[in-house]
Amino acid sequence: MSKLKTLEDFFIEELKDLYSAEKQLLKALPKMAKAADSPELKEAFQNHLSETEAQVGRLEKISGNLGKTLTGKKCKAMEGLIEEGKEVIEQDAVPVVKDAALIAAAQKVEHYEIASYGCAATYAKLLNNNKVESLLRETLEEEGNADKTLTQIAENINVEALEGAETE
Ligand SMILES: [Fe+2]
Ligand SMILES: [Fe+2]
């Protein structure tokens, strides 16, 4: 990576990181949906997959707006979070306990995205780019809602998981 001279340089690096993160998630979310036992959780993952497709589209719009390409960087954090999600998918577990673990893995992803989009939206604001800022805030809101949905679904699943195999 060349020397970062301004916040704008770092902003572009962060957008590249996000673009990679979302692209990786596009591949991981269908696997999470497939591994989920609860129909509600499956649906939440599928819904977030379509949102993620739109989020990739927004980043591409941002790329066009800024005249910068966002390819060529790998988000290592997302790679690690997805790797942990894969461990959950492959783990031998009572279905409801696996669902609880899938929710935990997914919420870690959402929180990473919330932090990244939150920072990026702040930078866009400081750079006086309203268009890019609003595109980033749109996604930030979706990530927040995805996280809240998971919290809601977890309310029942975690309680059922307390009982574990007894309810199988
Ligand atoms: Fe996302
Ligand atoms: Fe997300």
Side-chain angles (χ1 to χ4, degrees):
M1 196 200 302
S2 54
K3 184 170 178 175
L4 302 177
K5 296 194 191 75
T6 64
L7 186 69
E8 187 172 9
D9 294 342
F10 178 60
F11 176 53
I12 305 300
E13 287 306 308
E14 288 291 273
L15 292 173
K16 288 183 183 178
D17 189 84
L18 275 168
Y19 191 60
S20 160
E22 298 288 16
K23 295 282 257 191
Q24 291 183 60
L25 259 183
L26 279 184
K27 289 191 207 147
L29 278 168
K31 294 174 195 164
M32 305 274 285
K34 196 169 167 236
D37 183 59
S38 141
E40 209 187 353
L41 182 57
K42 249 183 215 299
E43 197 192 321
F45 286 142
Q46 277 152 359
N47 287 343
H48 200 49
L49 174 63
S50 0
E51 282 176 337
T52 301
E53 281 161 4
Q55 293 170 359
V56 168
R58 273 183 216 123
L59 286 169
E60 285 165 354
K61 258 193 215 164
I62 290 171
S63 163
N65 178 293
L66 298 173
K68 304 273 183 196
T69 137
L70 299 182
T71 52
K73 184 166 183 172
K74 180 142 206 181
C75 175
K76 296 190 194 78
M78 190 57 75
E79 191 179 27
L81 289 168
I82 288 174
E83 183 57 40
E84 288 196 1
K86 196 171 156 237
E87 280 176 20
V88 172
I89 290 170
E90 288 166 0
Q91 173 68 47
D92 183 24
V94 170
V96 72
V97 177
K98 184 176 285 203
D99 279 357
L102 286 168
I103 291 172
Q107 287 196 288
K108 289 173 191 175
V109 167
E110 294 316 316
H111 282 239
Y112 177 80
E113 294 186 289
I114 289 165
S116 301
Y117 278 108
C119 292
T122 301
Y123 304 152
K125 184 181 169 72
L126 287 167
L127 292 162
N128 287 315
N129 192 327
N130 295 338
K131 179 72 201 152
V132 169
E133 184 193 355
S134 79
L135 287 165
L136 291 169
R137 291 209 184 278
E138 236 178 288
T139 296
L140 180 61
E141 197 178 315
E142 280 177 0
E143 308 296 18
N145 289 337
D147 181 53
K148 283 187 201 111
T149 300
L150 289 167
T151 297
Q152 232 167 28
I153 296 173
E155 275 176 28
N156 291 328
I157 286 179
N158 287 347
V159 171
E160 282 173 45
L162 280 173
E163 306 284 330
E166 289 166 49
T167 59
E168 245 198 337

